[in-house]
Amino acid sequence: MSQIQWYPGHMAKSFRELDKNLRQVEIVMILLDARIPMSSMNPEILRRLHNKPVLILFNKQDLADRKILSLWEDYYRQSGYYTLSIDATSPQSLRSIYSLVKDVILKEQVERNLRRGRQLAPFKTMILGIPNVGKSTLINNLTAKGGAKVENRPGVTRQSQWYRLSEEFELLDTPGVLWPKFEKTIGYNLAITGAIKDDILPLDDVVIYALKYLSKHYQAALVERYKLTSTDDVFEILNQIGTNFGALTRGGEIDYDRVYAIVLKDIRDKRLGGLCFEKP
Ligand code: G4P
């Protein structure tokens, strides 16, 4: 847990910084992991946005269950947020973000400026997201084409930095991480998707949680991948995976650590198909 820095004093400081950063931007993008759209969201952020337009980006859509993901899009849209499912590594996704922001979210502002014959000042935005959600990938790709640091404009903290993305956009990159409250299921979901390191929670608990979820919601994929004859009991599933994949000790016993590693890698590498570990 120490690596997560979730304690009230730290969070209070991060939120104070967030409040200051928010004052400097016109639109806020929250990057979520499409496989765990609730566990990767800190709901406190939403309570602090004060009528700023918010674009919720479900990243890693390529690894997620499309059907469930569209329920999440509806869910957040109905709550008044803009949503977009993306793959931060794809140029198409980057174009979609630009056009949604410019042609929809800030449309009125753009038109008003044009009517008044005003030159458009770049729109200012910031991106929030927990580690491993793909924030650096997205920012790197957004800034790849000519994106440059804006010099001489200090951010709120020494580590925060403004980037010019294009003629039209500037991005405030901030180092602070606002973890969601670390409740049990949230912790498991963060571990399954690799948002927190594998040694933070007991791996057996994480994998047992994942297998129980999969056997309830993705039974066919689980059976197919591991050639299971039954999914009634999670320990029996572990034994079958160990046997069928030769994850055995020298003495011929099931090597559970290897089984855990196989399951986690398979989930993260999409060997069980697109998955979501929570529904709205
Ligand atoms: P962060 O700054 O939020 O911490 O995340 P970062 O961009 O470093 O991305 C974490 C990992 O997720 C990277 O893989 C990156 O390539 C991958 N990633 C980012 N966006 C997407 C996406 O839309 N789809 C998929 N499939 N992967 C994405 P990595 O460097 O190989 O790290 P890891 O996978 O070993 O953790």
Side-chain angles (χ1 to χ4, degrees):
M1 284 286 279
S2 61
Q3 295 164 63
I4 301 185
Q5 298 200 316
W6 202 102
Y7 53 91
H10 175 81
M11 293 307 278
K13 181 164 173 278
S14 301
F15 276 116
R16 276 198 304 277
E17 272 167 23
L18 173 70
D19 290 340
K20 289 186 203 155
N21 288 327
L22 280 171
R23 276 185 229 129
Q24 305 192 48
V25 300
E26 279 139 338
I27 171 167
V28 181
M29 299 190 201
I30 302 179
L31 201 54
L32 301 182
D33 187 317
R35 297 164 296 176
I36 50 165
M38 191 171 73
S39 298
S40 55
M41 167 70 95
N42 185 329
E44 181 59 25
I45 294 175
L46 296 177
R47 284 193 274 275
R48 295 182 171 244
L49 295 169
H50 309 300
N51 300 327
K52 289 236 152 98
V54 175
L55 171 56
I56 294 180
L57 297 169
F58 300 97
N59 192 37
K60 308 199 185 189
Q61 67 160 341
D62 54 309
L63 302 178
D65 177 337
R66 286 297 322 172
K67 259 197 240 152
I68 304 299
L69 186 52
S70 75
L71 297 179
W72 278 108
E73 289 179 11
D74 293 345
Y75 171 82
Y76 278 112
R77 223 175 283 140
Q78 279 160 16
S79 310
Y81 305 107
Y82 296 96
T83 65
L84 192 64
S85 291
I86 61 162
D87 169 349
T89 60
S90 107
Q92 174 58 43
S93 289
L94 304 179
R95 281 196 293 275
S96 307
I97 296 174
Y98 272 120
S99 63
L100 180 62
V101 171
K102 211 177 117 211
D103 303 335
V104 180
I105 303 177
L106 296 176
K107 185 168 185 267
E108 278 181 27
Q109 224 164 319
V110 171
E111 286 177 351
R112 198 171 49 234
N113 279 348
L114 287 176
R115 264 201 311 276
R116 292 176 183 169
R118 268 196 212 151
Q119 186 150 18
L120 289 181
F123 295 114
K124 297 184 179 63
T125 179
M126 65 186 288
I127 301 182
L128 300 169
I130 60 168
N132 204 45
V133 74
K135 197 173 138 188
S136 325
T137 307
L138 181 64
I139 292 177
N140 285 343
N141 288 338
L142 284 171
T143 54
K145 289 199 193 88
K149 286 184 185 181
V150 179
E151 300 299 342
N152 305 325
R153 191 194 308 154
V156 166
T157 62
R158 219 176 336 134
Q159 303 93 326
S160 53
Q161 175 65 51
W162 280 97
Y163 287 93
R164 171 68 64 91
L165 302 185
S166 68
E167 293 277 293
E168 292 143 328
F169 288 103
E170 285 177 359
L171 174 83
L172 179 61
D173 188 17
T174 57
V177 173
L178 297 156
W179 286 104
K181 203 160 193 169
F182 207 70
E183 282 150 6
K184 212 166 189 180
T185 322
I186 294 180
Y188 289 150
N189 283 334
L190 295 172
I192 291 168
T193 51
I196 57 173
K197 294 204 171 72
D198 286 348
D199 56 7
I200 289 181
L201 292 179
L203 219 49
D204 50 349
D205 288 351
V206 173
V207 172
I208 285 168
Y209 175 84
L211 286 174
K212 281 186 180 165
Y213 192 92
L214 294 172
S215 62
K216 190 163 170 207
H217 299 278
Y218 296 99
Q219 198 181 44
L222 193 65
V223 167
E224 158 77 19
R225 171 71 186 147
Y226 298 119
K227 309 286 172 250
L228 303 177
T229 50
S230 132
T231 56
D232 294 342
D233 178 76
V234 72
F235 296 102
E236 192 42 44
I237 297 178
L238 290 170
N239 289 338
Q240 290 181 69
I241 297 173
T243 308
N244 295 347
F245 280 65
L248 304 171
T249 62
R250 280 207 195 130
E253 313 257 295
I254 304 288
D255 184 341
Y256 289 102
D257 288 336
R258 273 171 66 198
V259 175
Y260 303 149
I262 290 171
V263 173
L264 280 183
K265 187 162 179 351
D266 281 354
I267 291 172
R268 294 170 187 168
D269 289 350
K270 209 184 172 183
R271 299 297 286 266
L272 291 134
L275 304 172
C276 284
F277 282 90
E278 47 200 11
K279 292 180 178 174

